[in-house]
Amino acid sequence: MSGASGGPGFLAVDSGGSGLRAVVGTAERGPLARRTSAEPVRTGDRGIDPEHFMAQLVPLVRALTDETGPVRLTAAVVGATGLASLGDALRAELPDALARRFGVRRVALAADAVTAYVGALGPRPGAVIAGGTGLIAIGTDLTGWRRADGWGHLLGDCGGGAWIGRAGLEAALRAHDGREGGSARLLACAEEVFGPVAGLPGALYPRPDRPAVLASFAPQVAACADGDPVAADILRAAARHMAESAAAVCPSGGEPRLAATGGLFRMGDPLLVPLDEELAQRLPHARRVPAEGDPLHGSVRLAAELTAGPLTLPGDETLLCVTTTWGEGADHA
Amino acid sequence: MSGASGGPGFLAVDSGGSGLRAVVGTAERGPLARRTSAEPVRTGDRGIDPEHFMAQLVPLVRALTDETGPVRLTAAVVGATGLASLGDALRAELPDALARRFGVRRVALAADAVTAYVGALGPRPGAVIAGGTGLIAIGTDLTGWRRADGWGHLLGDCGGGAWIGRAGLEAALRAHDGREGGSARLLACAEEVFGPVAGLPGALYPRPDRPAVLASFAPQVAACADGDPVAADILRAAARHMAESAAAVCPSGGEPRLAATGGLFRMGDPLLVPLDEELAQRLPHARRVPAEGDPLHGSVRLAAELTAGPLTLPGDETLLCVTTTWGEGADHA
């Protein structure tokens, strides 16, 4: 396939806990090919490791351009989990590395919350709730960004998967102990999944992926919500926390759009029904819309825009940082 | 000092996160000498490590009997943190090891909740709330034991030090984000202790002692409670959780005693006033008393009783397990 030649091309990347996803396309024709690497980029003393990132990315891009035929890559967008807090080395080194390796001149590094936003709403004012194991809300009025929560499973992520699963397990153990607030049904579910609850601390605390273990119980909480008032209350509280976060970031004027995106919302009505109610109460002026796409879609959208000129959405030192590299030093073929 | 010779002697041990504390005494004269080792006993694949326990204990006992003069140790009580869930190897090996090394024939292994109970109330029916970084309630009617909570900082320990500190930090971050439920005063406190909150996740999550880091903020929550309604609500909720746990374990008949013990209660009135109210509401038949002593005191009490005969308090497979070792194989001097 050689039809990719011609107009300026782009590289769009989504880097997260399950690995890298990358797309090559052109401004004219959109995305042309997509590849995935299952190995997540390492995080070390310097935060997200730029060398490991490039080592993962180079073979992906080679495979992508083998598929598309020659593309003149002029812009790249990298959306990465943890970029805001762990992205210093990436911000410092990636633009140069991408320029040297692929000849890319314009690079945007975006927090995964930003690519989730753009994937869901595009370059329009509004607020997005991004929920998976964790939870963050992000909003913009097109002059700046606001974030709420996203502090991790011990400090916040209120209403996210780990939060819901943890609350469900606490309710199970309350039933086991004969404390108030227990749910015999969640206890039965917990024993089905994890075995006798006496072994639960030993199964959870030594694990490095404790938030994921907690989040793995969230679908059980949703499954119990029809008929179990304790489980239903947990999801109602989760919905309230999400709406609180959305309310903290949503533009107060105009008619902002409002979307929820991420794997958490696959649990459907038991969460979505109370969420709609809590959002309607706190943000009556916002227009609830379905998310248009995922974070990789957001990265593609930003990259296509970046080939043509400046981004519509506002830059931000840690959330969305565009770098233009000048000079002739590129060693790309 | 040689006055220790004569009547049967005992060894009482309290093993916890800050190391070992040991007492040698006699049934007749009570505790005679006390020593401390600052190194906590290791926990490995087999749970609490019996060899490391003995390696710590032997020099302590040598120092103790140097101080008391010769004592014929007939009974030993070991109270240990984590015994219920991590004590299999200790239960299997410690009685023999103590018999061989010191000639001790009767050994009781007690969960730290049990030694906390006995230290606070002695061998009487009632309920004890033991609060530090974690939280557990334990009660007995003298025919069996009941426990509630003590599941650790992710699954419960509701109302304990880590729980209070975590809730305080969440309220600080809510204020930072502009979410509902925030406290500007707790935010100011958190920044004073930990620096700018943007660095809080990086300061907390990589630490192996996350529960202790969270609990270190609990005194700040108590300090803010006078005047800050969010902080006061956190302590009220903590008190309610503790009372729920106490209610689940307290004997329903008679006039059981009820005490709170542990470092958590040093925060005083901001916690104790709501706790008394919540307990009065749920357990009007229980008699609130001050704790008489700490877990080491409980271990001493059990050990003195064990030199004379069977324990008043009921045995339990994991919580309070008495072993008598017969035979002549002891290699003690």
Side-chain angles (χ1 to χ4, degrees), chain A residues 148-149 151-155 158 166 170 173-174 176-180 197 201 205 210 241 244-245 248 282, chain B residues 148-149 151-155 158 166 170 173-174 176-180 197 201 205 210 241 244-245 248 282:
Chain A
D149 212 345
W151 295 103
H153 72 296
L154 290 176
L155 296 168
C158 298
R166 201 213 64 76
E170 182 184 317
L173 295 170
R174 284 177 176 270
H176 171 87
D177 292 349
R179 282 180 286 155
E180 288 174 40
V197 292
Y205 291 111
R210 290 174 295 276
H241 288 315
E244 288 163 355
S245 289
R282 282 176 181 76
Chain B
D149 213 343
W151 295 102
H153 72 295
L154 289 177
L155 296 167
C158 300
R166 200 212 65 74
E170 182 184 317
L173 295 170
R174 283 178 176 268
H176 171 87
D177 292 348
R179 282 180 285 156
E180 288 175 41
V197 293
Y205 291 111
R210 291 174 295 276
H241 288 316
E244 288 163 354
S245 289
R282 281 175 181 78

Side-chain angles (χ1 to χ4, degrees), chain B residues 186-217:
Chain B
L186 285 171
L187 176 58
C189 274
E191 299 214 301
E192 207 168 289
V193 175
F194 296 105
V197 293
L200 197 49
L204 174 65
Y205 291 111
R207 295 269 298 249
D209 59 342
R210 291 174 295 276
V213 176
L214 295 172
S216 74
F217 194 63

Side-chain angles (χ1 to χ4, degrees), chain B residues 208-234:
Chain B
D209 59 342
R210 291 174 295 276
V213 176
L214 295 172
S216 74
F217 194 63
Q220 265 77 23
V221 178
C224 290
D226 182 19
D228 185 74
V230 171
D233 281 353
I234 290 170

